Amino acid sequence: MKTISENACFGGTQGVYTHTSQVCDCDMTFGLFLPEEAAEGPVPLLWYLSGLTCTHENAMTKAGAQSWAAAHGIALVFPDTSPRGEWVADDEAYDLGQGAGFYVNATEAPWAAHFQMWDYITEELTTALDHSFAVDMERQAITGHSMGGHGALTMAMSLPGRFRSVSAFAPISNPTASDWGRKQLSAYLGNNEETWAAHDATLLMREKGFDGPILIDTGTNDQFIDLLKPEALAEATAARRQQATLRMQPGYDHSYFFVSTFIEEHVAFHADALYA
């Protein structure tokens, strides 16, 4: 683990760290905010998974989450969205390759060599955080934006008992039926659509649901709303009678202005679950 930077932030520390990833076969970078309570012992952990084109830095600097996490004594981790490096496969399009890992374990060439983001988040980075920082892995929650909302929802529903709560900002909710999904899932996982179902929040809601509270916000003026398909997830949630709050926020778009407007409510939502 190499420290890139550490800055005082709302009484705690905002750090940026890099480490060698065995599963992604490259160096990976992440941001981690630790509140002042971490100096006394392990604190609850909230994961923030970012969207297409983002790095660890976007939410760390734009969402304004640290002040609210500090108020609740919660750590925040901001992973990168994909493996990176000159030797890592990429694509000219912004929605495939570096910056667009979609939080899956790729099985197809040329992606399989590095794009193992599911295992990186759920196993390798989890273990690294547990070993190196004062975080309480018995109290985890997860959130994300857009592609990261997709990752947060699929991980929460696929790993029962791991996360006490899950939320999302404008998540890609039904990728097997969207151009933000079919393109990437076929590239990373191949053309057998049965293998895609494990990475579709709507299909997972129909099959499994989540053993805790859910909060989802999407803006009515989101320029990508037809790709996000919030209505599909809403229908699956209602059919399952899942404990969830799904809100359409009037006038908001897909930007970090939207995320920063509602991040306080999301952090408080997770704090209620993490300290229950």
Side-chain angles (χ1 to χ4, degrees), residues 249-264:
Q249 299 292 358
Y252 285 90
D253 58 17
H254 200 71
S255 70
Y256 267 97
F257 296 110
F258 158 65
V259 173
S260 61
T261 299
F262 298 102
I263 192 69
E264 177 185 4

Side-chain angles (χ1 to χ4, degrees), residues 110-124:
W111 312 107
H114 299 283
F115 282 70
Q116 304 295 310
M117 288 302 295
W118 182 278
D119 282 355
Y120 174 68
I121 298 293
T122 65
E123 296 181 14
E124 190 175 40

Side-chain angles (χ1 to χ4, degrees), residues 63-142:
Q66 291 91 338
S67 64
W68 310 118
H72 294 284
I74 294 172
L76 288 168
V77 61
F78 305 95
D80 203 347
T81 55
S82 78
R84 298 182 190 271
E86 294 181 5
W87 57 93
V88 175
D90 201 5
D91 191 90
E92 292 182 357
Y94 74 94
D95 57 356
L96 187 67
Q98 295 186 38
F102 257 73
Y103 303 102
V104 303
N105 287 339
T107 57
E108 302 297 302
W111 312 107
H114 299 283
F115 282 70
Q116 304 295 310
M117 288 302 295
W118 182 278
D119 282 355
Y120 174 68
I121 298 293
T122 65
E123 296 181 14
E124 190 175 40
L125 183 54
T126 296
T127 300
L129 292 171
D130 190 25
H131 288 173
S132 301
F133 300 97
V135 292
D136 182 357
M137 288 305 179
E138 296 300 315
R139 292 185 291 168
Q140 295 184 67
I142 192 166

Side-chain angles (χ1 to χ4, degrees), residues 46-51 102-104 118 121-122 141-159 162-172 198-201 204 209-210 213-216 233 266 270:
L46 175 58
W47 294 79
Y48 185 105
L49 305 185
S50 291
F102 257 73
Y103 303 102
V104 303
W118 182 278
I121 298 293
T122 65
I142 192 166
T143 188
H145 175 223
S146 193
M147 178 184 73
H150 140 81
L153 290 168
T154 57
M155 288 178 182
M157 286 188 275
S158 298
L159 300 168
R162 173 75 67 93
F163 303 104
R164 295 194 181 184
S165 52
V166 59
S167 73
F169 301 88
I172 301 173
H199 299 285
D200 187 305
L204 286 170
F210 177 62
I214 298 173
L215 172 63
I216 298 176
L233 181 58
H266 281 242
H270 290 295

